[in-house]
Amino acid sequence: MHDDRTLVEARLRRVLDERIRPAVYPESVPLEAAVWHAPGEPVPVAEGLAADVEPVTVGTRWGAPWGTSWFRVTGTVPEAWAGRTVEAVLDLGFDENMPGFQCEGLVYRPDGTPVKGLNPRNQWVRIGAPVRGGEEVRLHVEAASNPVIMGYRPFTPTPLGDRETAGGAPQYTLTRMDLAVLDETVWHLVTDLEVLGELMAELPVDAPRRWEILRAVERALDAVDLQDVNGTAQRARSRLTDVLAAPAVPSAHRISAVGHAHIDSAWLWPLRETVRKVARTAANMTALLDDEPEFVFAMSQAQQWAWVKEHRPEVWARVKKAVADGRFVPAGGMWVESDTNMPGSEAMARQFVHGKRFFLDEFGVENDEAWLPDTFGFAAGLPQIIKAAGSKYLLTQKISWSRTNSFPHHTFRWEGIDGSRVFTHFPPVDTYNCSMRGAEIAHAVRNFKDKGAARHSLAPTGWGDGGGGTTREMVAKAARLRDLEGSATVTWETPAAFFAKAEAENPEPPVWVGELYLELHRATLTSQAATKQGNRRSEHLLREAELWAATAAVRTGFPYPYEDLDRIWKTVLLHQFHDILPGSSIAWVHREARATYARIADELNGIVDAAQRALAGEGTLPLVFNGAPHPRSGVPAGGARPAGATGRTTREDRPGGGHVLDNGLLRVAVDARGLVDSVHDVEADRETVAPGRPGNLLQLHHDLPNMWDAWDVDAFYRNTVTDLTDADEVTPGDDGASVRIARTFGGSRVTQVLSLPPGDKRLVVDTEVDWHETEKFLKLAFPLDLHADRYASETQFGHFFRPTHTNTSWEAAKFEACNHRFLHLQEPDWGVAVVNDGTYGHDVTRTVRTDGGTTTTVRVSLLRAPRFPDPETDQGVHRFRHALVPGASVGDAVREGWRINLPERRLTGAGEVAPLVTVDRDSVVVTAVKLADDGSGDVVIRFHEAHGARARATLTAAFPVAGVEVTDLLERPLADTPPPAVDEGRITVRLRPFQLTTLRLKRA
């Protein structure tokens, strides 16, 4: 037989595009349309429905950026259409290639009942099936004219990312407002041909099944009268019956399709627009559930559920019913799909506390899985947190985006720093926006790395990012792929059902230990510095507010601010979403975030001040409150007393220019350029700075990644560097015992103050940058005379090690990485820590000394200046604090990391304040002291072993304790963990390395 394959395939493409798809709606009549453009921000539904409208016609431009227009469409179903299926087709000016990234709408009936959402791949509204003829149609559309931020030429700087700079030019053209007859036979023929055509294209050319499909498609096309598609569609469908009925082979890969819409809680749109995106999507999905009995939809992010409940009660009622039916499934158990690299220990725990508690309170549902398809890598401490929250599974997709190395598993157990393991799945479909295309299904089969050991994978199915969810076309394709020869089988299932099957068939999968590092989007550790500092400061203020409020509540009856703390925690957790905290959202999002963090700081400082004043009482005794988990300057952790003497620091002029600082523990030499060429550890008689390579060196790089400007820094940025060694001034600081340095470069200015706190073994570097660069990357370098093959990086509830070398591509790819409060490098008898109060990105490299051996350079990342999606990223004044701690053990690094983030507070009072709880071992770090969330008055203490060693410690409560329970993160007793004994308030615990424990103490 002659090979006419390409001829038939080309014929299929043209006939589908030009004849069959257009015949889906064979008859239509125009609807009358009118519009009201709401001034300012979105208005309540009732106001939009009641607004005075003006006539508008197809072809009219509409929609200022970020505006809301209320369209009213009216018409009458023709009598001649009686007995047929009729839909309104409402095209607001959609580009089908941009679902979720364009204008969108939510359709209402005149009484305010939501019907469904409109988006580029979902433009229809069912009127009747069948209609009687003569029905009056009246619909209202709340249309959001969200501008396209990332178009066909992506990463182009645009002012559209903030309402304050976007202007008022109309963004869209009203394209279609019709009533139309839906020919369901033609619609099904389109789906038949798409499924078979896409499957055929993925089969080997020499496979018999491919040719069987080809001949069936050819016969179907022959059966179509191109001048009467509607009259011959059923005849064409009959030619395809046999090939669509051929069952899959027994060994076929099995895909669990989960209806999904991964909606970014903010990204190329502000938070307030996400509220509406979620409502539109939820309305769409509940409507689809009504139409498709096998379909199942899962939605994560408790915050998004809460938005629907608060802002769209009519949609919420439909959602609650669908949840009760088991088909609209709460997923993930987190408040938002957060970043997991940068949130601190308690914040990461509270993501699960607030997320799981919302689903339990609202639906009585507890999720077993963490659901994070789009998060930019996963910190090594996360498995323990997932398990401590009562969950046991993790799903993500993003690791498939890694650019250097292909991750070796799709289903595996992920082991965290304490040894906890969670069953983890990366869907091999390699997208969280699966649309059931044949290419996606075939890719999942080919790509699945666990063949032979397993045959199940998951496909999150539906338009996401900007929302929309699953479409009826996707459901129809899945129905044909349920059991089809040549394809994987597809079944709609809940996440829980998938994980149960996957774990049952592969109970001993391979194990991956340590962080799940994404070899992409590394610059998200630095972009939008103010957002990151706002997060860090909020986390520590929340710690203080809980600590002092709980202490005051137990001691003085101070009213514990349960509701305020709950609300503030949820706001902070929201802003840890994986495009807000990473700095990859539009300008509007970060402008609002800065204002939100300022409000949070004011409110939390107010709570702290009120609680501390209640504890201190009336008096004139100067008190120092220590909110850190370690004693300092004679003040116990969690207590207050007068500060003790701490020694003094001297400053001397240096011959030839520069200065020398000395506090008896460190002697620091600063040259005439403001660079540190010596940090001498007096006790160890050890030099810290690498010879010939000064510290406190600011370095400026060109920084234009190939794509994803705010997200990425590409390795070639290191090819060019400017050392900022010219100083405008190097002078004594205001206190006479520090050094002040000023530099200018480009359009920017840096002012630094170097100081040695009396009695402390640390060099503090305060840096203020008035930043006005574009596409530059600013680093602060500390070359250390230290031989280290690895270094410790703090993560949630502990630390882990990364190599300093680049032996393999896996190590070389980690050229920018994340830490929390500290980095620590060590030779067997001497180490150095670098601590910070609000930066995350860094790099560590090795260099050979001229006299042999190696030195190690730590560079902390300060600022970037990408122009997309926020063209003014980081412009303005920023303040950073870092400290270099010579002679530091890992315990010193832990302590100094807390110290720099929790400065002492001073006020006067009547006398000392004893801590509510004390711990007798430095390695056991208390991360939270609070009252139980249920209002019982029980005291909750969360702590972990922080040095990476086993520990036996005694916790002493300074109040009568009637009993103690070991609990999960949600403060529920762990049935399989016996409580420790209590002896007059003393509780002895034994911890393995990095073990996390939560105790609930009942007050007598």
Side-chain angles (χ1 to χ4, degrees):
M1 181 178 292
H2 297 297
D3 185 352
D4 61 350
R5 175 178 52 83
T6 57
L7 187 69
V8 177
E9 291 171 353
R11 180 188 179 194
L12 171 62
R13 288 192 294 270
R14 181 172 186 183
V15 172
L16 258 178
D17 287 343
E18 296 184 14
R19 301 301 173 89
I20 301 177
R21 287 195 184 99
V24 168
Y25 290 114
E27 300 177 57
S28 64
V29 296
L31 288 160
E32 291 185 6
V35 67
W36 173 68
H37 303 293
E41 286 295 279
V43 301
V45 173
E47 184 176 343
L49 294 175
D52 292 331
V53 293
E54 297 181 352
V56 66
T57 59
V58 168
T60 301
R61 297 283 292 171
W62 72 278
W66 306 114
T68 301
S69 298
W70 282 84
F71 290 94
R72 186 188 69 196
V73 293
T74 57
T76 304
V77 176
E79 298 283 355
W81 291 359
R84 303 172 78 179
T85 298
V86 175
E87 295 181 342
V89 182
L90 308 176
D91 186 343
L92 303 177
F94 296 128
D95 180 339
E96 289 192 355
N97 295 316
M98 292 190 179
F101 295 91
Q102 276 206 317
C103 57
E104 299 174 63
L106 182 54
V107 180
Y108 296 89
R109 296 189 180 93
D111 64 359
T113 303
V115 181
K116 65 184 294 290
L118 297 176
N119 62 53
R121 295 294 182 100
N122 213 326
Q123 303 176 19
W124 57 274
V125 182
R126 181 63 57 87
I127 302 301
V131 296
R132 300 185 310 275
E135 292 97 331
E136 294 297 321
V137 175
R138 184 184 181 96
L139 299 171
H140 298 261
V141 181
E142 180 190 17
S145 50
N146 303 329
V148 175
I149 304 297
M150 188 163 64
Y152 287 104
R153 188 180 175 192
F155 319 120
T156 302
T158 173
L160 292 171
D162 196 333
R163 187 159 195 161
E164 294 184 353
T165 59
Q171 299 293 296
Y172 297 102
T173 300
L174 197 63
T175 302
R176 185 175 184 184
M177 292 274 168
D178 286 347
L179 281 179
V181 172
L182 172 68
D183 188 325
E184 295 185 75
T185 301
V186 175
W187 186 88
H188 282 292
L189 176 61
V190 170
T191 308
D192 292 343
L193 290 171
E194 285 181 349
V195 167
L196 291 171
E198 291 164 4
L199 172 60
M200 179 171 59
E202 298 301 321
L203 294 171
V205 173
D206 58 357
R209 174 65 170 163
R210 178 164 183 159
W211 289 89
E212 290 171 1
I213 295 172
L214 184 82
R215 293 303 165 216
V217 167
E218 184 177 40
R219 290 192 295 271
L221 295 176
D222 289 343
V224 175
D225 183 341
L226 299 184
Q227 278 66 51
D228 185 16
V229 173
N230 301 91
T232 55
Q234 185 56 50
R235 184 172 65 193
R237 288 199 72 198
S238 68
R239 304 294 195 272
L240 303 173
T241 301
D242 291 344
V243 288
L244 286 169
V249 298
S251 61
H253 185 71
R254 298 168 184 176
I255 291 178
S256 295
V258 178
H260 190 49
H262 163 68
I263 302 178
D264 289 309
S265 290
W267 179 28
L268 305 181
W269 44 85
L271 286 167
R272 68 91 155 140
E273 191 55 33
T274 313
V275 174
R276 301 201 295 176
K277 283 177 174 287
V278 174
R280 291 189 284 259
T281 299
N284 258 352
M285 295 303 94
T286 52
L288 191 60
L289 288 168
D290 289 341
D291 294 339
E292 301 290 347
E294 294 186 354
F295 176 57
V296 175
F297 182 77
M299 190 166 88
S300 66
Q301 306 192 73
Q303 171 68 88
Q304 296 188 0
W305 292 71
W307 279 334
V308 177
K309 180 181 180 182
E310 178 183 358
H311 296 281
R312 289 292 190 271
E314 302 86 354
V315 178
W316 179 248
R318 289 163 52 175
V319 167
K320 285 191 71 173
K321 180 182 181 302
V323 173
D325 294 339
R327 300 181 59 214
F328 199 117
V329 181
M334 294 175 69
W335 190 247
V336 295
E337 290 181 10
S338 73
D339 180 80
T340 75
N341 285 313
M342 291 176 280
S345 302
E346 272 303 306
M348 202 74 253
R350 304 299 175 96
Q351 286 285 352
F352 288 90
V353 169
H354 287 282
K356 295 194 79 166
R357 187 170 287 147
F358 180 89
F359 293 138
L360 282 164
D361 290 347
E362 294 294 336
F363 308 114
V365 170
E366 179 160 8
N367 306 72
D368 282 337
E369 77 284 341
W371 184 276
L372 292 163
D374 191 30
T375 297
F376 307 154
F378 298 88
L382 188 58
Q384 178 174 211
I385 298 171
I386 292 172
K387 294 198 74 171
S391 297
K392 56 184 179 180
Y393 302 125
L394 169 66
L395 178 134
T396 184
Q397 182 66 71
K398 202 67 173 188
I399 298 299
S400 68
W401 287 41
S402 285
R403 289 287 178 83
T404 305
N405 299 284
S406 176
F407 196 81
H409 317 295
H410 281 108
T411 302
F412 59 100
R413 292 200 188 275
W414 178 29
E415 181 177 317
I417 57 174
D418 76 314
S420 296
R421 292 180 177 181
V422 293
F423 189 88
T424 303
H425 181 66
F426 293 168
V429 71
D430 281 354
T431 178
Y432 43 80
N433 295 323
C434 177
S435 61
M436 286 290 137
R437 291 186 300 112
E440 294 169 335
I441 303 303
H443 175 74
V445 176
R446 289 192 296 265
N447 189 40
F448 188 55
K449 293 185 170 68
D450 305 303
K451 298 180 183 75
R455 63 170 59 173
H456 279 84
S457 70
L458 186 146
T461 303
W463 299 117
D465 292 319
T470 318
T471 65
R472 61 184 179 183
E473 288 78 12
M474 297 175 194
V475 176
K477 285 189 172 185
R480 289 157 175 79
L481 297 172
R482 184 179 182 89
D483 188 14
L484 182 62
E485 184 185 355
S487 171
T489 66
V490 176
T491 306
W492 294 107
E493 290 189 300
T494 65
F498 162 74
F499 274 111
K501 290 181 178 179
E503 190 171 30
E505 76 173 358
N506 194 9
E508 296 297 332
V511 176
W512 181 269
V513 179
E515 68 179 328
L516 294 171
Y517 179 91
L518 177 64
E519 297 170 349
L520 194 73
H521 293 359
R522 303 167 181 89
T524 57
L525 304 173
T526 305
S527 297
Q528 299 288 0
T531 299
K532 291 169 171 58
Q533 289 179 319
N535 172 74
R536 177 75 70 85
R537 186 70 180 128
S538 297
E539 289 180 352
H540 288 85
L541 283 170
L542 276 161
R543 171 198 167 78
E544 287 194 279
E546 290 182 338
L547 168 66
W548 299 120
T551 304
V554 174
R555 292 274 168 71
T556 73
F558 179 82
Y560 191 80
Y562 290 101
E563 293 182 0
D564 291 337
L565 290 171
D566 180 81
R567 170 178 47 81
I568 295 170
W569 262 118
K570 288 173 179 174
T571 301
V572 172
L573 299 177
L574 166 60
H575 286 78
Q576 291 176 341
F577 178 75
H578 65 252
D579 278 306
I580 304 179
L581 180 54
S584 47
S585 291
I586 56 174
W588 188 344
V589 173
H590 293 287
R591 171 172 57 80
E592 289 189 330
R594 292 190 293 271
T596 298
Y597 285 131
R599 289 194 302 272
I600 286 171
D602 287 345
E603 191 168 0
L604 289 173
N605 278 316
I607 293 172
V608 170
D609 182 68
Q612 289 182 341
R613 290 189 182 280
L615 287 164
E618 296 295 330
T620 58
L621 181 68
L623 294 174
V624 174
F625 279 79
N626 175 17
H630 305 92
R632 62 186 180 193
S633 303
V635 182
R641 68 173 53 156
T646 56
R648 62 188 293 266
T649 299
T650 63
R651 183 202 57 79
E652 300 174 357
D653 291 335
R654 188 178 178 184
H659 305 267
V660 176
L661 302 176
D662 194 330
N663 68 356
L665 301 173
L666 294 178
R667 184 174 176 85
V668 177
V670 184
D671 69 15
R673 303 171 297 172
L675 304 178
V676 175
D677 54 15
S678 175
V679 178
H680 189 75
D681 180 345
V682 176
E683 180 182 8
D685 191 21
R686 174 80 185 244
E687 176 56 54
T688 307
V689 178
R693 301 186 63 214
N696 190 44
L697 176 64
L698 290 163
Q699 296 183 297
L700 191 67
H701 295 268
H702 293 290
D703 180 25
L704 180 65
N706 288 344
M707 55 196 305
W708 300 108
D709 294 35
W711 295 256
D712 280 358
V713 56
D714 289 333
F716 55 73
Y717 89 94
R718 289 181 173 176
N719 295 350
T720 56
V721 61
T722 300
D723 292 342
L724 303 180
T725 57
D726 295 335
D728 300 333
E729 53 183 288
V730 180
T731 59
D734 293 340
D735 61 358
S738 58
V739 179
R740 182 179 182 277
I741 306 129
R743 310 181 193 277
T744 53
F745 59 95
S748 303
R749 179 177 174 84
V750 176
T751 304
Q752 291 183 300
V753 175
L754 307 183
S755 59
L756 284 181
D760 289 333
K761 203 172 180 181
R762 56 193 171 104
L763 170 63
V764 177
V765 182
D766 287 299
T767 304
E768 178 179 290
V769 187
D770 189 3
W771 180 247
H772 297 285
E773 304 306 302
T774 298
E775 294 165 350
K776 298 291 194 299
F777 196 3
L778 184 64
K779 293 259 188 177
L780 176 61
F782 297 97
L784 307 175
D785 193 10
L786 195 72
H787 176 96
D789 294 327
R790 66 177 190 170
Y791 70 96
S793 173
E794 189 187 30
T795 187
Q796 293 98 3
F797 298 111
H799 60 268
F800 69 105
F801 294 96
R802 293 189 185 96
T804 59
H805 57 76
T806 55
N807 282 358
T808 72
S809 58
W810 293 88
E811 290 134 6
K814 296 181 181 181
F815 58 82
E816 184 79 5
C818 182
N819 69 288
H820 287 187
R821 288 168 293 230
F822 73 80
L823 296 170
H824 181 253
L825 303 92
Q826 188 164 6
E827 292 177 0
D829 59 348
W830 192 82
V832 177
V834 178
V835 298
N836 71 83
D837 75 342
T839 57
Y840 296 90
H842 69 273
D843 66 84
V844 178
T845 53
R846 300 167 75 251
T847 307
V848 177
R849 285 176 48 148
T850 55
D851 60 349
T854 60
T855 61
T856 309
T857 298
V858 174
R859 299 198 308 163
V860 295
S861 304
L862 299 183
L863 290 165
R864 298 184 68 240
R867 299 179 64 213
F868 182 88
D870 176 4
E872 299 295 319
T873 301
D874 280 331
Q875 301 300 296
V877 177
H878 303 270
R879 296 176 181 87
F880 307 94
R881 172 168 284 188
H882 295 84
L884 183 71
V885 189
S889 66
V890 72
D892 296 324
V894 172
R895 183 174 57 254
E896 293 298 332
W898 279 101
R899 177 199 289 258
I900 201 170
N901 283 274
L902 283 167
E904 300 163 341
R905 293 178 182 262
R906 298 174 183 269
L907 66 156
T908 59
E912 295 184 5
V913 178
L916 193 62
V917 178
T918 58
V919 185
D920 69 351
R921 190 170 181 113
D922 192 58
S923 64
V924 177
V925 173
V926 176
T927 60
V929 176
K930 60 190 288 292
L931 295 193
D933 291 340
D934 61 8
S936 64
D938 293 351
V939 175
V940 172
I941 307 165
R942 188 146 38 246
F943 53 91
H944 69 287
E945 196 289 317
H947 293 182
R950 295 187 180 272
R952 180 182 183 275
T954 300
L955 284 75
T956 303
F959 58 90
V961 177
V964 60
E965 295 174 327
V966 183
T967 74
D968 65 6
L969 295 180
L970 277 70
E971 302 168 8
R972 302 173 298 190
L974 296 176
D976 57 349
T977 304
V982 182
D983 180 12
E984 296 184 351
R986 292 186 296 274
I987 305 164
T988 300
V989 296
R990 296 178 183 272
L991 302 177
R992 64 180 181 272
F994 301 127
Q995 182 178 348
L996 164 64
T997 300
T998 303
L999 295 183
R1000 180 172 181 144
L1001 279 57
K1002 296 185 181 298
R1003 292 157 59 192

